[in-house]
Amino acid sequence: ANPIRIGVVGYGNLGRGVENAVAKNPDMVVAGIYTRRDPGQLQPLFAGTPVFSVADLHQHADRVDVLVLCGGSKDDLPVQSPELAAKFCMVDSFDTHARIPEHFAAVDAAAQAGKTTALISAGWDPGMFSINRVMGEALLPDGATYTFWGKGLSQGHSDAIRRIPGVAGGVQYTIPVEAAVDAVRSGVRPALTTRQKHERHCYVVLAEGADAQAVHKTIVQMPHYFDEYDTTVNFITQQELKDNHSAMPHGGFVIRSGNTSAQNKQVIEYRLQLESNPEFTSSVLVAYARAVHRMHQWGMTGAKTVFDVAPGWLSAKSPEQLRKDAL
Ligand code: NDP
């Protein structure tokens, strides 16, 4: 069979992750990276990967099977996903949870009109965690679902710290509170407040002459971001930031705890421990690109989510092979 030709739209952390992930899947190739920047200035990970301007995409409809959109959820995907779904099969990782319904509607209208298959909000959260939340609820209707994140670097919270006057650099890690995780795992279904579930740990480089106490206070009192959490602030040097905080780890757990009878508790746990959030997210996107390619060949058009994809469609193996190997 011909390899599935993947177009990578946007070349940041996820874009590089997709290039890496495709290299691990022999049934796929990267047909091209498509960027809004000058393609001549981008250095792909692998010398053979062609780089084009995103403006060239419209002439490349016969060179690409599925686009993997790697733009940001805030400003890029709300524009790019509906625009490209009109002409191309695609997968995105849109993760602004509250806006998923409107994003779905916009992409669905474009995909229905263009008879393409467009899967939104793949990745791990939303994505793999969402699947596990749905399965937990379906299998244990008398129960409670808990999602814990971390230890992980939060891009949004790190950005919020860096915007504070007097801060020259910094990162924020979200860390699940161990006592809360233990209580949930025991099956007692505790009611937990925001503060009881996660802590926030900040590593901050001060600008010259900045007042450490004032920066500390601004961070821990920042509404929405930090005020509802127990937050610790550690001041470090620029060198320490570079040496110890350049990776993008993340992960967490989805736990469903329920009762199937008065006497029997059941606990389901799905856990991710990721050294690189973008590389893992991209690996998920690429598996969903395979499913999208199949779904389009079967005439399943319109917008889709991870809930609409059967697990076997993600696999490079045939249904026969999967029944032998994995059942
Ligand atoms: P980046 O900021 O690295 O990249 C976003 C876009 O910005 C790129 O597609 C690229 O577009 C442009 N860009 C990248 N680097 C530069 C640069 N140096 N200068 C100028 N422009 C640049 O974002 P990520 O790849 O880290 O993440 C993308 C989105 O993925 C996030 O917004 C998040 O919402 C989502 N995500 C979802 C997850 C999930 O589980 N569902 C998990 C992790 C992330 P271009 O090449 O066209 O310029």
Side-chain angles (χ1 to χ4, degrees), residues 229-269:
Y229 297 86
D230 287 336
T231 302
T232 60
V233 180
N234 305 283
F235 292 105
I236 58 171
T237 64
Q238 196 76 49
Q239 191 62 40
E240 284 171 317
L241 183 70
K242 185 165 167 280
D243 291 347
N244 305 331
H245 303 283
S246 296
M248 285 186 262
H250 221 313
F253 353 85
V254 174
I255 302 174
R256 178 72 176 180
S257 147
N259 281 71
T260 45
S261 60
Q263 63 277 24
N264 290 319
K265 297 196 287 272
Q266 322 278 13
V267 179
I268 309 171
E269 177 165 343

Side-chain angles (χ1 to χ4, degrees), residues 198-209:
H198 295 96
E199 289 167 10
R200 300 200 177 277
H201 294 194
C202 309
Y203 293 84
V204 178
V205 182
L206 285 175
E208 267 210 21

Side-chain angles (χ1 to χ4, degrees), residues 130-141:
S130 321
I131 292 173
N132 282 277
R133 286 188 284 258
V134 167
M135 295 230 295
E137 280 171 33
L139 305 184
L140 297 174

Side-chain angles (χ1 to χ4, degrees), residues 9-16 33-38 42 54 69-77 80 92-97 121-128 155 248 277-278 280-282 285:
V9 180
Y11 200 61
N13 298 309
L14 288 192
R16 284 187 294 276
I33 291 165
Y34 296 87
T35 180
R36 292 164 297 185
R37 287 166 285 162
D38 175 2
L42 287 196
V54 75
L69 272 59
C70 299
S73 290
K74 191 164 167 287
D75 299 319
D76 300 337
L77 299 176
Q80 289 182 320
D92 80 21
S93 70
F94 187 74
D95 72 352
T96 314
H97 292 259
S121 301
W124 62 277
D125 197 359
M128 301 314 295
Q155 215 64 63
M248 285 186 262
N277 173 3
F280 180 74
T281 302
S282 302
L285 295 177

